[in-house]
Amino acid sequence: SRPSGLIMSQLSPVMAPASQKLLVNVIQAEGLQHLNHFTGDHPYCVCEVKNLEPHATRTKAETKPVMEGDTLNPVWNETLELEPWQPGEALEFTIYDKGLIGSKTEGKAMLPSEFFYPNGFQGMISIIGLPDARLRLEVPPPGGSMMQGQASAMVPLPAPTSSACGSQQIMETTMAQAAGPQRLAVS
């Protein structure tokens, strides 16, 4: 199913211009529980976009399983690429445990769109189904230059340079307006 997914993501920007690529850095989980007592725990994390459109192609990516070390507090430190993603679509993280026969679900975690759009997200979210478990994530601000402009507009006075240049422009226009009538008076 991998190749068809790639073809879909190449076509989708044409069909849905709002969609974009989202990067999600799955850093680590804490407080997982032992599920596979005989084979040892090999946890991995699947991140899936909760599509707004019911018939959209499922967008998901997964980390490699942690095979050794502290598997109850696994460190993946992997950046997953999700495309297409649209503003408003939440991310669902499912932690599985890879056993000999198949994978068992450890727990799920949700990250709503407003938590990481437009300013990105960095922190821990709780894993549903495991009372003390957390998932540490980092989502850089989504989108390209177009989105950055919108994001900075929401923040009052984004940088001293832009506000200074704004006030200079205002000064110049008021000076020009003041100079105009005076010239008329002189002539």
Side-chain angles (χ1 to χ4, degrees), residues 5 8-9 12 19-22 46-51 56-62 81-86 89-92:
M8 277 303 294
S9 70
S12 61
S19 69
Q20 46 193 291
K21 185 195 288 185
L22 190 67
V46 175
C47 177
E48 182 174 348
V49 174
K50 301 305 284 179
N51 298 108
T57 315
R58 295 176 75 179
T59 306
K60 59 182 185 177
E62 62 184 60
E81 284 190 15
L82 296 161
E83 191 177 9
W85 170 86
Q86 294 180 38
E89 293 182 328
L91 298 178
E92 182 182 67

Side-chain angles (χ1 to χ4, degrees), residues 152 155-169:
S152 63
V155 183
L157 294 178
T161 51
S162 62
S163 60
C165 112
S167 58
Q168 273 179 339
Q169 285 171 352

Side-chain angles (χ1 to χ4, degrees), residues 13-88:
V14 181
M15 299 185 302
S19 69
Q20 46 193 291
K21 185 195 288 185
L22 190 67
L23 296 178
V24 179
N25 185 7
V26 181
I27 300 171
Q28 66 185 104
E30 295 175 6
L32 301 184
Q33 295 171 1
H34 278 295
L35 284 183
N36 290 317
H37 297 291
F38 302 109
T39 59
D41 297 281
H42 300 145
Y44 64 99
C45 181
V46 175
C47 177
E48 182 174 348
V49 174
K50 301 305 284 179
N51 298 108
L52 296 171
E53 298 153 27
H55 304 297
T57 315
R58 295 176 75 179
T59 306
K60 59 182 185 177
E62 62 184 60
T63 66
K64 296 179 185 68
V66 172
M67 305 300 278
E68 56 194 10
D70 185 355
T71 54
L72 295 186
N73 301 290
V75 176
W76 293 289
N77 226 353
E78 272 190 65
T79 300
L80 305 179
E81 284 190 15
L82 296 161
E83 191 177 9
W85 170 86
Q86 294 180 38

